[in-house]
């Protein structure tokens, strides 16, 4: 029986840059399922920063695709209480504004004893 080999591709850069958005659009496969890992690179940023990345990335995903938002543990969740609003606040803000776009996957998150993506595992986008 042949082994299934997963292919990972990376788009590194500012997700607000149209060139990066174009790269991401090309990287998402037309086949079965895409998995996106959002690892926001910001320091003491307002929730709008990673929320902007969500506003860019989520519309590119299809039903059945998967999104993981990293570094949601900062701002006291449970580390770096001095950090200020971060990725968790951004995902909460995004979900409040777009309640039917993503579905939290607590079952997958619970499989890990420790994760830097606390409340950051999502299936999506939902199709109604």
């Amino acid at each position: 029986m042949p082994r299934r080999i997963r292919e990972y591709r990376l788009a590194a850069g500012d997700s607000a840059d149209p060139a990066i958005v174009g790269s991401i659009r090309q990287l998402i496969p037309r086949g079965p399922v895409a998995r996106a890992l959002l690892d926001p690179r910001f320091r003491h940023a307002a929730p709008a920063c990673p929320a902007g990345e969500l506003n860019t990335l989520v519309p590119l995903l299809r039903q059945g695709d998967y999104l993981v938002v990293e570094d949601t543990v900062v701002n006291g969740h449970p580390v770096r209480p001095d950090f200020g609003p971060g990725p968790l606040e951004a995902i909460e803000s995004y979900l409040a504004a777009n309640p039917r776009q993503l579905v939290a996957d607590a079952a997958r998150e619970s499989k890990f004893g420790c994760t830097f993506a606390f409340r950051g595992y999502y299936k999506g986008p939902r199709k109604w």
Side-chain angles (χ1 to χ4, degrees):
M1 183 170 183
R3 263 182 44 187
R4 179 179 171 166
I5 298 174
R6 294 183 179 176
E7 184 176 335
Y8 293 90
R9 299 175 188 166
L10 174 67
D14 182 354
S15 64
D17 179 345
I20 294 296
V21 175
S23 295
I24 293 170
R25 187 173 280 119
Q26 290 178 348
L27 289 173
I28 294 177
R30 309 231 189 291
V33 174
R35 289 164 186 86
L37 175 65
L38 180 57
D39 189 4
R41 296 188 177 263
F42 62 94
R43 289 171 184 55
H44 298 286
C49 177
E53 293 177 318
L54 292 165
N55 286 326
T56 299
L57 182 60
V58 173
L60 300 178
L61 299 176
R62 302 153 304 164
Q63 186 173 13
D65 288 349
Y66 205 85
L67 173 67
V68 178
V69 181
E70 288 284 349
D71 299 334
T72 54
V73 295
V74 299
N75 198 31
H77 311 292
V79 300
R80 298 280 317 268
D82 60 317
F83 188 85
L88 182 59
E89 289 77 17
I91 192 75
E92 289 171 342
S93 174
Y94 179 85
L95 292 172
N98 304 280
R100 296 184 175 172
Q101 288 300 304
L102 297 170
V103 179
D105 190 355
R108 180 173 299 244
E109 181 178 343
S110 70
K111 292 180 181 182
F112 304 106
C114 180
T115 180
F116 285 95
F118 167 69
R119 290 179 30 204
Y121 295 84
Y122 295 91
K123 300 175 191 176
R126 269 184 146 164
K127 300 296 180 192
W128 295 95

